Amino acid sequence: MEQREVQELLKEKLKEKGLKITRQRLLVLSVLEQNSGSHMTAEEVCELVSADCPEIGLATVYRALQLLWNMQLVDRISFDDGCVRYEIGHLLKGDTKHNHHHLICRKCNKVIPFGDDLLDDLERYIEGATGFHILDHELKFYGLCKDCIKKENSSPLSF
Amino acid sequence: MEQREVQELLKEKLKEKGLKITRQRLLVLSVLEQNSGSHMTAEEVCELVSADCPEIGLATVYRALQLLWNMQLVDRISFDDGCVRYEIGHLLKGDTKHNHHHLICRKCNKVIPFGDDLLDDLERYIEGATGFHILDHELKFYGLCKDCIKKENSSPLSF
DNA sequence: CTCCTTGCAAATTGTTTGCATACCT
DNA sequence: AGGTATGCAAACAATTTGCAAGGAG
């Protein structure tokens, strides 16, 4: 899906619900698109939107992100650092940058993205078994990264 | 793994690191064991520990939970309701109550637990491919539950 | 006796809300 | 015009931190 298209999709959905198409909402979505590899906090998004719209308030960004998430235009993920992050994920499924899974090192807190498309079968199975309709998923693996395993072996146990 | 054993494991790990074995730490772990089906907030744990130890402070509970998590004695999970939850998960693997996966309804926010042991192959594959050593995982599916699907069909689209 | 831990209260931080003004349609 | 959105500041809530007193080894 191209940038132009995602913007159009947002406009369509807004219209459909009687909500207004505003510069702020379009900019928030646009920033997420231009950074489709990273998981951004509201603050980071606000920072970047400010380039084109210096008057924007952080509260507006929070409101816009929540809206986009409700409309399923963006994904939400939280590592364990106390803030929610947003990502334009499944809409760009063809995109090689799309990674829905994350390996999180419990020692150095590094986050390593990992390819998607591993859960499709599982999703279908769950839908059949429970009647739950799955829209999205979030999968995190906690453990030790290569580097920290190396260090662990050469130094005494600790955390 | 039995209750007695988990307590002993904690004592061992504390000793190993030169930390003290305190009533508070043992009680926090014990409360999580006695509620091994549920995902508890720090506040809830504090509430229950208070029965045996009325002087305990919420800060101590937070500190103990973090410690237990670091020692991999308990698991951590966060739904999207703004507070972290703890659960004694993988230590009780034989336990039928153990559920690491959750279906979260985006409409009514209901959380439906779902059986584990679906990701073992995937974990082995990832370890081979990346050199990352996996200790634990957290998998959430977002979507619409049976009930909300029914309601959706009988009422106009909304969220 | 020494250092770790606790309890309390204050501080911090991410996020939400109330409200008057500004903006879409 | 009419209702929705915005920006700002104040409100909130979960979690963390500083510190003096208490407790484990």
Side-chain angles (χ1 to χ4, degrees):
Chain A
M1 177 152 340
E2 293 296 316
Q3 167 147 9
R4 196 73 39 82
E5 296 176 51
V6 181
Q7 297 269 335
E8 291 312 314
L9 188 53
L10 170 56
K11 289 185 190 173
E12 223 170 87
K13 291 204 176 205
L14 287 171
K15 210 168 288 181
E16 189 179 294
K17 295 203 191 309
L19 303 176
K20 310 266 160 101
I21 296 167
T22 66
R23 202 149 136 271
Q24 289 89 335
R25 283 168 179 171
L26 294 175
L27 280 169
V28 166
L29 180 56
S30 153
V31 159
L32 285 173
E33 276 184 293
Q34 282 153 28
N35 296 277
S36 67
S38 31
H39 326 93
M40 309 184 72
T41 64
E43 205 122 14
E44 288 166 347
V45 171
C46 189
E47 193 76 18
L48 290 181
V49 172
S50 292
D52 293 289
C53 180
E55 337 79 79
I56 200 168
L58 188 50
T60 302
V61 174
Y62 274 104
R63 284 185 282 230
L65 287 171
Q66 188 144 326
L67 183 73
L68 294 174
W69 184 67
N70 280 336
M71 291 178 159
Q72 284 154 43
L73 292 172
V74 303
D75 301 325
R76 208 180 182 183
I77 186 174
S78 140
F79 304 131
D80 296 294
D81 60 348
C83 57
V84 173
R85 288 159 188 281
Y86 292 86
E87 178 186 22
I88 194 158
H90 62 283
L91 277 185
L92 308 174
K93 216 149 196 173
D95 192 327
T96 51
K97 277 187 269 178
H98 175 59
N99 285 299
H100 236 119
H101 305 159
H102 300 94
L103 314 181
I104 304 174
C105 181
R106 295 260 318 244
K107 197 144 196 178
C108 67
N109 295 310
K110 189 167 30 201
V111 176
I112 302 163
F114 197 82
D116 204 351
D117 75 13
L118 300 164
L119 258 54
D120 292 349
D121 292 345
L122 186 52
E123 287 197 357
R124 250 170 274 130
Y125 166 64
I126 291 176
E127 295 198 325
T130 66
F132 192 93
H133 173 55
I134 297 174
L135 293 167
D136 191 18
H137 60 244
E138 178 184 331
L139 175 54
K140 296 185 282 192
F141 293 96
Y142 293 95
L144 296 173
C145 70
K146 241 179 186 165
D147 298 346
C148 287
I149 292 173
K150 221 176 293 171
K151 282 176 212 149
E152 179 123 326
N153 289 336
S154 51
S155 71
L157 178 61
S158 69
F159 54 81
Chain B
M1 179 158 328
E2 293 296 317
Q3 166 146 8
R4 196 72 40 82
E5 296 176 50
V6 182
Q7 296 269 334
E8 290 312 314
L9 188 52
L10 170 56
K11 289 185 189 172
E12 223 171 87
K13 291 203 177 206
L14 286 171
K15 209 168 287 182
E16 188 178 295
K17 295 205 189 309
L19 303 176
K20 309 264 160 100
I21 295 166
T22 67
R23 200 146 138 274
Q24 290 87 333
R25 284 169 178 169
L26 294 175
L27 280 169
V28 166
L29 180 57
S30 151
V31 160
L32 285 173
E33 277 184 292
Q34 282 154 26
N35 296 278
S36 67
S38 31
H39 324 95
M40 309 184 72
T41 63
E43 205 122 15
E44 288 165 347
V45 171
C46 189
E47 193 76 17
L48 290 181
V49 172
S50 291
D52 294 288
C53 180
E55 337 80 80
I56 200 167
L58 187 50
T60 301
V61 174
Y62 273 105
R63 285 185 281 231
L65 287 171
Q66 189 144 324
L67 183 73
L68 294 174
W69 185 67
N70 280 335
M71 292 179 158
Q72 284 153 46
L73 292 171
V74 304
D75 302 324
R76 208 178 180 181
I77 186 174
S78 142
F79 304 131
D80 296 294
D81 61 347
C83 58
V84 172
R85 288 160 187 281
Y86 292 87
E87 178 186 22
I88 196 157
H90 62 280
L91 277 184
L92 307 173
K93 215 148 197 169
D95 193 327
T96 52
K97 277 186 269 178
H98 176 60
N99 286 299
H100 237 121
H101 305 159
H102 300 94
L103 313 181
I104 304 173
C105 181
R106 296 257 320 242
K107 198 144 196 177
C108 66
N109 295 311
K110 189 167 28 198
V111 176
I112 303 163
F114 197 81
D116 204 351
D117 75 12
L118 300 165
L119 259 54
D120 292 349
D121 293 344
L122 186 51
E123 287 197 358
R124 250 171 273 133
Y125 167 63
I126 291 176
E127 295 197 325
T130 65
F132 192 93
H133 173 56
I134 297 174
L135 294 166
D136 191 18
H137 60 244
E138 178 184 332
L139 175 54
K140 296 186 282 194
F141 293 96
Y142 294 95
L144 295 173
C145 71
K146 240 179 185 164
D147 298 346
C148 287
I149 293 172
K150 221 177 293 172
K151 281 176 211 149
E152 181 122 325
N153 290 338
S154 50
S155 71
L157 179 61
S158 69
F159 53 78

